[in-house]
Each structure stands twice: as structure tokens, then as C-alpha cells.
Amino acid sequence: MWLPCTLLIFLATLTVVNCQNSAFDITNQIYLLRPKSGSGGHLIPEISCSSWRLGVEAHNIIDWKQIPTECSDYVGHYMLGKQYREDSKVVVSEAFAYANGLNLTNDGNNVWIFDIDETTLSNLPYYVEHGFGIEPYNATAFNEWVDRSEEPSLPESLELYNKLLSLGIKAVFLTGRGEDQREVTVKNLKQAGYHTWEKLILKGSSFSGKSAVFYKSTERKNLEEKGYRIIGNIDDQWSDLLGTPTGNRTFKLPDPMYYIG
Ligand SMILES: *[C@@H]1O[C@H](CO)[C@@H](O)[C@H](O)[C@H]1NC(C)=O
Ligand SMILES: *[C@@H]1O[C@H](CO)[C@@H](O)[C@H](O)[C@H]1NC(C)=O
Ligand SMILES: *[C@@H]1O[C@H](CO)[C@@H](O)[C@H](O)[C@H]1NC(C)=O
Ligand SMILES: [Mg+2]
């Protein structure tokens, strides 16, 4: 059990916890806790947190800074319960079914774009301690966490990664993390089970102040100009899949914790 005991107190109403073995183990998967039934808290006056989440995932609700206060419990239960993992599983199953159905020319130029945070790696251990997105983003605290290289994989994405490699599709990681976090990112990817990639693209200084959409679509264009074919693109933010070229198909993983514009 990698969740620290302090936060398990927060979750004490959810499940029986065992605090004796609190050593963090990067190879451990994201644990499934028992979610509360029902649709969670209600926003004033009358939309439920599950409707809010649907609005977020469908990109009807945009440019939000933090999750609604009333939905902190709901988002926590969603992320740590079965639903997040089941929703993620549907995304990767569709992605693999699509890739597996293609008749690809195996010339080494087929790539699949993977975002990193909340796609290949999970920051859940961090967000558990920061109210699942209820606190304003704290770059200092978040970067300290990233520098520890302790993020587990999102297991569904790791499975997709391995299956795509077996089809001869190469992985390209495209992340909003800066070049200064290359070393910790490489270390973390390897520890989490991602052992090889064609490219790891981090945000260079020439993109500072530019939007995520501009940065990521420019980098995808660069890849295509180098002769790569972007077969698919998986990520947790709409800013990862807007802007041309997107890649032949895009797959959006759930993320009700934060919004990147
Ligand atoms: C797959 O592509 C190859 C080469 O483009 C072609 O010869 C073959 O007929 C295709 N197979 C199917 C099942 O479409
Ligand atoms: C942000 O995180 C740092 C490092 O943990 C902490 O010292 C600082 O107080 C935090 N800032 C705010 C506004 O919470
Ligand atoms: C990807 O899209 C391009 C441009 O629309 C198309 O030519 C190509 O056949 C597509 N590839 C696959 C694998 O669907
Ligand atoms: Mg992400």
C-alpha cells in the first residue's frame, strides 16, 4: 500500500486501511478502493458532481482553475475507486482495437504519442495530499514531487504501450514538462515500466509563454515533417488533442483534477 497513512485518515470512511506497511513501491499499481455509491456532492443549485465531471470530459466546461469545493469528495472517490480505472480501460481498449485493425507498413515510422502526466504516469499520490485539485496549483510543491521520480504508471496506459510496441508502433512521449526535468522524467518512466521510446519531447525554452495547444501541435508537425506517421495520440487534456496535426486518432483519458488550457 503506497498511500501514506496521513491521507488514509482522509479516506478512513471509505475502506479499512492497513498502515503497517507504508513503504512506497513504484512497481505497485494504483490501488482500487471502494467508491461511495451515488453521484457524490451537489453543486449549487442543482447539478451533480457527476454531471460536472461529464461536462469537463466533454470539454463543455473549460478554463476552470480548481474543482468545485463541493466535488472534492466526489473527485477523490472517483480517482481512487474503480470508476477511474474502468473508464481508463475503455479508452485504452478502444485505442488498441483501432491500432490492431490497421494494416500498417512497418517501416519504423509509425509512432503513437503519449502524454506523460495523468497519462503514462500518475500523480495520484501527490493529488491525494492536495485535495484532488481543490487547492490552487502550487508549482514549487508539484515540481518537488516530480523531481522525486516516484510516480507509478497508470496501469492501463502501460498495457497499451506494451501492446502497441508489439505491433511495431513506436512510442513518442510529448510532455509539458520542461527540459530541466528530463533526467527525473527518464528515471521515472523507466522505473514505472516504460523501457524504450523513439523520442521524449519536453517543452523547450522557445515555447515558454506559449500555450500547450501551440507547443504540442508544433511538435507533432515537426514529427510529421521528419517522416513519422502519427497513428494515435493519447492524453488526459483537451489541449493535447486540439491543434493540427492531431494524429490519425485521439484518445482522451479521464482527468477531473485539473485543466490545462
Ligand atoms: C496490407 O497492405 C499491403 C501493402 O500495402 C497489401 O499488399 C495487403 O493486401 C494489405 N492487407 C490487407 C488485409 O488489407
Ligand atoms: C507551495 O509549496 C511549497 C513547497 O511545499 C510551500 O513551501 C509553499 O508554502 C506552498 N505555497 C502555497 C501558496 O501554498
Ligand atoms: C492517417 O491520416 C492520413 C491523412 O488523412 C491518411 O493518409 C492515412 O491513411 C491515415 N493512416 C491511417 C493508419 O489511418
Ligand atoms: Mg497530462
Side-chain angles (χ1 to χ4, degrees):
M1 171 69 77
W2 51 252
L3 298 175
C5 288
T6 44
L7 67 94
L8 288 171
I9 290 160
F10 169 81
L11 298 166
T13 53
L14 266 176
T15 184
V16 177
V17 297
N18 175 358
C19 287
Q20 281 167 338
N21 178 11
S22 62
F24 181 85
D25 179 354
I26 190 106
T27 60
N28 278 359
Q29 295 198 335
I30 295 172
Y31 276 81
L32 299 179
L33 301 182
R34 206 176 320 127
K36 270 184 184 162
S37 57
S39 58
H42 281 256
L43 298 174
I44 358 104
E46 116 201 322
I47 71 159
S48 71
C49 291
S50 58
S51 298
W52 175 80
R53 183 170 66 80
L54 181 63
V56 161
E57 294 301 350
H59 213 224
N60 292 321
I61 300 172
I62 65 168
D63 292 336
W64 48 283
K65 305 286 178 227
Q66 285 122 242
I67 65 171
T69 317
E70 300 84 342
C71 296
S72 177
D73 255 15
Y74 169 79
V75 172
H77 285 99
Y78 172 78
M79 292 302 296
L80 293 170
K82 273 203 300 220
Q83 198 65 49
Y84 172 54
R85 299 289 301 281
E86 285 176 358
D87 290 351
S88 300
K89 187 168 276 197
V90 168
V91 179
V92 305
S93 302
E94 290 298 313
F96 180 68
Y98 152 70
N100 198 31
L102 298 172
N103 184 13
L104 296 172
T105 313
N106 263 325
D107 57 1
N109 287 329
N110 297 318
V111 297
W112 192 283
I113 309 266
F114 287 86
D115 171 51
I116 292 187
D117 292 287
E118 268 56 69
T119 298
T120 52
L121 300 177
S122 172
N123 295 296
L124 254 182
Y126 173 87
Y127 284 105
V128 153
E129 294 188 17
H130 293 265
F132 303 101
I134 205 159
E135 289 177 15
Y137 176 65
N138 181 334
T140 311
F142 186 73
N143 286 327
E144 281 171 8
W145 155 251
V146 167
D147 288 347
R148 284 160 53 184
S149 305
E150 286 178 355
E151 288 154 56
S153 66
L154 176 60
E156 285 68 31
S157 296
L158 181 58
E159 189 188 329
L160 176 65
Y161 164 89
N162 283 317
K163 285 176 157 180
L164 291 175
L165 290 187
S166 72
L167 294 179
I169 300 172
K170 296 175 171 176
V172 169
F173 294 111
L174 174 56
T175 174
R177 293 181 179 197
E179 275 294 345
D180 56 334
Q181 286 179 320
R182 180 175 288 274
E183 205 179 314
V184 293
T185 301
V186 167
K187 184 176 169 202
N188 203 151
L189 285 170
K190 291 195 166 166
Q191 283 183 336
Y194 301 92
H195 51 90
T196 184
W197 49 83
E198 182 70 1
K199 282 183 190 302
L200 167 58
I201 303 170
L202 296 108
K203 193 170 178 180
S205 53
S206 61
F207 290 105
S208 79
K210 299 286 200 302
S211 71
V213 172
F214 178 78
Y215 156 59
K216 292 206 167 178
S217 56
T218 303
E219 292 292 3
R220 288 192 298 268
K221 191 156 185 267
N222 289 342
L223 284 167
E224 290 196 346
E225 280 167 2
K226 287 184 185 128
Y228 291 107
R229 286 185 293 273
I230 304 173
I231 302 299
N233 175 6
I234 190 165
D235 40 70
D236 66 293
Q237 296 288 323
W238 275 83
S239 54
D240 296 332
L241 49 84
L242 298 170
T244 49
T246 57
N248 281 48
R249 271 197 69 177
T250 59
F251 295 90
K252 167 76 175 68
L253 285 162
D255 186 354
M257 299 191 297
Y258 56 87
Y259 180 90
I260 297 176

